[in-house]
Each structure stands twice: as structure tokens, then as C-alpha cells.
């Protein structure tokens, strides 16, 4: 009887520890680095009112929630003002498998979204982006209006401050200060 109690107590403690580890991982944002406040001149624009860049690691399972949140943003009533580009990390030393991940195929299915490869994360690094799922919303004149994530935690979609901030800006309620919410995803490199 005593052994059963002891084994049950040890098992319960290990289950609790495992849950704490999982919850800590889900709630831990990616590395935060100050991102560029201005779109680099070398980055092509498409002449819309807003230029929305979404940075993804093609093999990051956490970023599927970002793609789903992106689809909600694009489906919103302000999508005609928006050019959306997914910039997907691709190491130049890779031997394939980066252009056709399930994550990128899901992004390609969103109407009006273009998916481009970002060799060695050059564009991401130049803008200060380090985490898959990080987005930057630029105004037509190249100023950053929002920089950060659009999910509530790793792999979780639903109501969140990041998506609300982007939708608010698209609706015309933006201020002079750049809003930032942490991005949740895998390291881009």
C-alpha cells in the first residue's frame, strides 16, 4: 500500500512538472529585438495604403496559428488597402524542403498573399526580426505602425492584442507610436 502511494505521488509530481514545462514553453515569446521604424528603400512596395510583412520559419509548428490569424486579417473589410507578403526563411545551404512546407502552402492559399523566400533571413535580420510569426505593418510612406506577433501564445489562435492592434490600424485608428506585442514562434535562423 505504501509503495502504491509513493508511486502515485511521484507520478503526480512528474505530470505536474511536465505541464509546467509545456505551459512555460507556450507562454514564452521569441527573442525581442528592436525592429526598424522605417521600411528599407531596398524593400519593394506594391503601392497600397499598407504593406504587411509576415516572417515565418517554414518548419515552425507554432506559426500555423499566425497564418490562421493572418487569414482573418486579410478577410477583414480593409484588405483592399493591404499588400501582404510572407517572407519565409530559407538557408542558402539547404538542399530543399523549405519552399513547400505545410505552413507555406497554407499561407499561399490566403487570397492576395504572396509568399517569397528570404535567403539566410537577410530581410528579417535587416529589420531586426528574429522570431517566426513576427509581423511588421508599414504605412504607404514607409513608417512602421505595428511590429510584433498576432497570436496570444505559441500555436494558439483566437482573440489577441496583436491582431486587434493591426485591425485597429487598418480601420484608421492608428497613432504616431509603434505598437508592439511579443511574437511567439521558433527562432528564424
Amino acid at each position: 500500500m505504501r509503495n502504491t502511494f509513493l508511486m502515485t505521488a511521484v507520478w503526480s509530481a512528474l505530470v505536474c512538472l511536465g505541464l509546467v514545462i509545456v505551459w512555460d514553453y507556450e507562454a514564452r515569446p521569441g527573442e525581442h529585438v528592436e525592429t526598424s521604424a522605417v521600411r528599407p528603400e531596398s524593400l519593394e512596395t506594391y503601392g497600397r495604403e499598407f504593406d504587411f510583412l509576415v516572417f515565418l520559419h517554414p518548419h515552425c509548428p507554432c506559426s500555423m496559428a499566425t497564418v490562421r490569424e493572418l487569414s482573418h486579417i486579410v478577410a477583414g473589410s480593409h484588405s483592399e488597402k493591404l499588400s501582404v507578403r510572407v517572407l519565409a526563411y530559407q538557408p542558402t545551404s539547404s538542399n530543399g524542403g523549405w519552399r513547400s512546407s505545410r505552413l507555406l502552402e497554407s499561407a499561399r492559399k490566403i487570397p492576395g498573399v504572396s509568399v517569397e523566400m528570404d535567403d539566410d533571413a537577410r530581410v528579417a535580420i535587416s529589420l531586426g526580426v528574429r522570431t517566426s510569426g513576427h509581423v511588421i505593418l508599414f504605412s504607404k510612406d514607409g513608417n512602421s505602425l505595428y511590429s510584433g506577433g498576432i497570436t496570444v501564445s505559441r500555436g494558439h489562435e483566437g482573440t489577441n492584442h496583436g491582431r486587434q492592434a493591426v485591425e485597429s490600424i487598418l480601420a484608421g485608428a492608428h497613432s504616431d507610436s509603434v505598437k508592439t506585442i511579443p511574437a511567439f514562434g521558433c527562432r528564424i535562423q
Side-chain angles (χ1 to χ4, degrees):
M1 181 83 158
R2 184 178 162 142
N3 284 343
T4 303
F5 176 76
L6 183 60
M7 289 190 54
T8 302
V10 168
W11 179 83
S12 296
L14 289 173
V15 166
C16 289
L17 178 63
L19 289 173
V20 167
I21 291 169
V22 168
W23 286 330
D24 179 60
Y25 176 76
E26 287 181 358
R28 187 179 319 126
E31 178 184 357
H32 176 73
V33 178
E34 199 65 38
T35 57
S36 176
V38 179
R39 180 182 52 231
E41 289 184 24
S42 61
L43 197 56
E44 183 181 355
T45 64
Y46 294 109
R48 298 247 175 107
E49 191 173 336
F50 299 100
D51 193 15
F52 197 42
L53 304 180
V54 180
F55 296 89
L56 297 177
H57 186 301
H59 302 296
C60 177
C62 311
S63 294
M64 189 57 80
T66 297
V67 170
R68 290 187 184 118
E69 292 298 327
L70 174 63
S71 71
H72 292 297
I73 292 169
V74 170
S77 60
H78 306 288
S79 62
E80 71 280 351
K81 301 177 182 180
L82 192 61
S83 71
V84 182
R85 288 184 283 172
V86 169
L87 295 159
Y89 166 64
Q90 173 180 274
T92 54
S93 62
S94 71
N95 56 358
W98 292 86
R99 293 180 176 274
S100 61
S101 71
R102 194 180 107 206
L103 179 67
L104 297 185
E105 292 306 316
S106 295
R108 286 183 180 102
K109 290 179 182 176
I110 302 171
V113 172
S114 71
V115 176
E116 304 167 16
M117 302 312 289
D118 185 10
D119 292 334
D120 291 330
R122 288 185 189 115
V123 176
I125 291 169
S126 74
L127 291 169
V129 173
R130 302 288 186 268
T131 304
S132 184
H134 192 116
V135 303
I136 302 176
L137 180 65
F138 289 105
S139 64
K140 188 175 188 174
D141 61 1
N143 293 317
S144 177
L145 302 172
Y146 177 82
S147 178
I150 55 173
T151 63
V152 69
S153 65
R154 290 178 189 263
H156 292 273
E157 55 189 285
T159 303
N160 66 81
H161 296 296
R163 181 174 138 198
Q164 290 171 342
V166 169
E167 289 174 334
S168 174
I169 292 166
L170 295 175
H174 59 280
S175 67
D176 293 335
S177 62
V178 176
K179 294 175 174 59
T180 302
I181 305 291
F184 294 91
C186 304
R187 186 162 170 78
I188 285 190
Q189 293 178 297

